[in-house]
Amino acid sequence: MKENKGEELLSLSLGINTITTTTAWCSKKRKGREDFMASDRKFFNLLQIRDQMLRATNTKRYSCGVEDGKNSLQVIHLLLAAAAAAVDTNGGDVNTAVDALGEVYKTVSLKGDPIQRVAVYFADALAARILTPRSPFYQSFMLTPTPEVEFSAFTDLYRASPYYQFAHFTANQAIVEAFEDEEKENGGRLHVIDFDVSYGFQWPSLIQSLSDKATSSKPIALRITGFGRSIQELKETEMRLVHFANCYDNLFLKFEGIFRGDDATGRSIKIEENATVVVNSVFYLRNLRSSTEISDALAVLYSLNPSLVVLVEKEGRQRQGGFLSRFMESLNYSAAMFDSLNECLPADSMERLNIEKNSLGRDIKHAIVNGDEEDEYLNHEVLQETWKERMERIGFEEMKLSSRSVSQARLLLKIKSQYSTTDHGSNGGFRVIARDEGKTISLGWQDRILITASGFTRRHL
């Protein structure tokens, strides 16, 4: 992708001017609110337009010319017009929103430029937001991938992009160093409490790093307490990790999976006595849906008395302000993610389509459809504070991450560039940034920061 094209796609600096233009477009097109029964035909027609787009996808080629830039700007205007109409203060202008979404589907392709591709999922999300789960059309826009397909998409993203690997390797480096600092007192025992263990992809690299430190006469005992979204997923994660750890005779792994539905607060955690205790929070806190959930989670975190809390979160302010401003922020972030995949996978790659449809696209739909504004306190007060401020309020202080963490992150990007499958031959758009006097390390894509890692220790009184 040409440099000026990338800047145009990723800046999306429409701001107030775009919202003003969107409002004017809506005023011109608004015909008055109709009830949902009368709009069924419009949604049926919208699905037909969407199906035509999907069928035509195989005949469209990826390009990045000047004309595509103009089309991208048009798509953004249409999406914002649909979003503005969908959340109109009078209850939503269904006709205007559906008309705008129809124009989006006529303009985009799943093999187009990043804005075209990401727009498909935002259009689906807006259509589903206007409907209700009871509508016969709802599932057409919100088709949920099976757990097997989700796992496949996550695996493809993990292999192709440095996104998750940066988060996991940076966190693991800090964990190893915390273990080393207490090696004389911990008796070779490390207890990691993972608030979102997911598929467990973070932990094989930690197991290997600890094994490199251990000996047959001085083995290391690693206990992982991991929270998961399903019992089956936790069982599969345990099986993978135990199988991997069995390859090392100088490390003993004990995995304890906790289904979040049985213990939403985490108060049943049993701490490994005399071990170095580390809390791992990677992409977890931002998913909490209320100020009460956040407060409860942080209270539990503090009560565990950990030597280290590793915090990795997405950059951005998706939950602040009204729906339109959060929609815009989400569009900016997602456009950067889709654009970054061009450096990792070919435009016609089935892996790229799998990632965008069943991982990134699924997340977009979930965020837009479920992104309500019921908790005004959460949206406008609590999350105006940074996670650093919230951690400091409960008794933690941010620590400086080591130079090894930065070096390892930069080495990761260098290695990923060597295995790039694109014609560009490198992951040149990705970059590692050390900030806040070395207290945070971020992964960026061009001029956008994607995720940031930081570490916290309990404040000494």
Side-chain angles (χ1 to χ4, degrees):
M1 178 174 290
K2 297 180 181 178
E3 184 176 352
N4 61 345
K5 173 64 176 174
E7 292 175 355
E8 178 181 10
L9 291 178
L10 291 178
S11 64
L12 298 180
S13 302
L14 304 178
I16 299 300
N17 290 334
T18 298
I19 298 298
T20 302
T21 303
T22 299
T23 303
W25 191 93
C26 291
S27 298
K28 181 180 179 181
K29 293 288 292 182
R30 186 170 292 120
K31 299 177 182 178
R33 179 162 174 77
E34 298 180 3
D35 60 42
F36 282 100
M37 291 298 294
S39 64
D40 276 357
R41 178 170 292 277
K42 295 187 73 70
F43 276 102
F44 179 75
N45 292 336
L46 183 65
L47 275 175
Q48 288 184 315
I49 297 172
R50 181 179 182 272
D51 289 342
Q52 290 172 2
M53 178 273 296
L54 295 175
R55 288 196 298 269
T57 289
N58 292 331
T59 65
K60 292 188 177 182
R61 296 287 183 179
Y62 171 76
S63 62
C64 55
V66 175
E67 197 62 35
D68 289 311
K70 294 180 180 178
N71 290 340
S72 296
L73 196 59
Q74 178 188 6
V75 169
I76 295 166
H77 277 275
L78 289 168
L79 281 174
L80 289 173
V87 295
D88 183 83
T89 55
N90 293 322
D93 187 338
V94 175
N95 284 338
T96 300
V98 173
D99 288 344
L101 293 177
E103 292 301 316
V104 171
Y105 288 131
K106 291 177 183 178
T107 310
V108 300
S109 167
L110 290 178
K111 288 189 177 179
D113 63 33
I115 292 298
Q116 288 187 32
R117 303 197 314 262
V118 78
V120 174
Y121 303 103
F122 275 91
D124 285 353
L126 285 172
R129 184 182 173 94
I130 297 169
L131 294 164
T132 68
R134 295 180 180 179
S135 168
F137 303 109
Y138 183 85
Q139 284 302 323
S140 297
F141 296 103
M142 287 293 290
L143 186 62
T144 303
T146 65
E148 294 76 17
V149 171
E150 280 192 25
F151 179 76
S152 171
F154 183 89
T155 302
D156 284 343
L157 179 58
Y158 202 93
R159 290 172 176 167
S161 169
Y163 185 82
Y164 280 108
Q165 292 184 32
F166 167 86
H168 291 168
F169 291 174
T170 303
N172 286 350
Q173 180 62 40
I175 292 172
V176 169
E177 291 173 13
F179 173 79
E180 291 173 341
D181 290 342
E182 299 181 0
E183 207 162 1
K184 293 182 179 179
E185 296 83 23
N186 61 31
R189 293 188 296 275
L190 173 63
H191 185 184
V192 177
I193 301 165
D194 189 349
F195 273 87
D196 186 8
V197 72
S198 186
Y199 304 113
F201 279 26
Q202 177 173 348
W203 304 121
S205 66
L206 178 67
I207 291 170
Q208 186 171 5
S209 295
L210 292 174
S211 178
D212 290 341
K213 290 179 52 60
T215 63
S216 56
S217 60
K218 195 176 180 180
I220 292 176
L222 171 63
R223 177 179 176 183
I224 299 176
T225 300
F227 287 84
R229 59 181 180 175
S230 77
I231 295 175
Q232 181 62 31
E233 188 173 281
L234 286 169
K235 289 180 178 179
E236 293 172 356
T237 297
E238 179 179 14
M239 183 179 64
R240 284 192 294 270
L241 292 178
V242 169
H243 178 75
F244 184 83
N246 284 341
C247 299
Y248 302 93
D249 56 10
N250 57 2
L251 183 139
F252 303 103
L253 171 69
K254 180 179 181 180
F255 180 86
E256 178 187 18
I258 301 178
F259 174 44
R260 193 166 298 283
D262 293 336
D263 182 10
T265 64
R267 298 187 184 279
S268 65
I269 299 172
K270 297 178 181 178
I271 300 300
E272 185 77 23
E273 188 176 358
N274 297 325
T276 294
V277 177
V278 174
V279 171
N280 188 71
S281 177
V282 177
F283 306 135
Y284 168 68
L285 291 176
R286 185 169 288 271
N287 292 325
L288 300 180
R289 299 194 56 80
S290 72
S291 55
T292 301
E293 285 187 16
I294 292 174
S295 297
D296 288 347
L298 293 179
V300 170
L301 188 152
Y302 186 80
S303 71
L304 296 172
N305 193 26
S307 300
L308 169 70
V309 176
V310 181
L311 188 63
V312 184
E313 284 293 346
K314 298 179 182 180
E315 285 276 343
R317 307 170 73 87
Q318 289 104 321
R319 278 181 154 181
Q320 295 184 22
F323 176 77
L324 284 180
S325 62
R326 289 184 284 120
F327 181 89
M328 187 72 176
E329 171 62 25
S330 183
L331 181 58
N332 272 277
Y333 190 93
S334 299
M337 286 294 296
F338 275 60
D339 193 39
S340 72
L341 287 180
N342 283 346
E343 288 283 357
C344 306
L345 294 166
D348 58 352
S349 164
M350 292 303 296
E351 289 83 0
R352 183 186 61 74
L353 179 61
N354 187 30
I355 292 168
E356 293 178 351
K357 178 181 178 181
N358 297 309
S359 180
L360 303 182
R362 178 207 60 196
D363 292 344
I364 288 169
K365 294 179 183 182
H366 177 80
I368 299 302
V369 172
N370 299 309
D372 56 55
E373 299 175 85
E374 293 178 0
D375 194 337
E376 293 295 325
Y377 174 69
L378 173 66
N379 286 325
H380 298 296
E381 294 186 30
V382 173
L383 290 180
Q384 286 179 3
E385 301 173 285
T386 65
W387 292 117
K388 174 184 176 181
E389 291 169 339
R390 292 190 62 80
M391 295 291 287
E392 289 177 344
R393 282 179 57 189
I394 65 171
F396 286 98
E397 60 184 356
E398 196 171 21
M399 57 175 279
K400 185 174 182 179
L401 297 175
S402 72
S403 59
R404 283 187 291 174
S405 298
V406 179
S407 299
Q408 179 181 256
R410 288 176 176 157
L411 178 61
L412 169 65
L413 295 193
K414 185 176 181 180
I415 293 173
K416 296 297 290 185
S417 69
Q418 293 174 353
Y419 291 95
S420 172
T421 58
T422 68
D423 293 335
H424 301 288
S426 73
N427 291 98
F430 286 105
R431 57 198 180 99
V432 172
I433 312 104
R435 300 190 292 165
D436 302 330
E437 300 179 338
K439 293 181 179 179
T440 61
I441 304 175
S442 300
L443 176 69
W445 169 254
Q446 294 187 1
D447 61 349
R448 173 87 194 205
I449 293 177
L450 298 176
I451 51 178
T452 296
S454 54
F456 296 86
T457 58
R458 283 173 63 111
R459 186 182 299 117
H460 297 291
L461 301 177

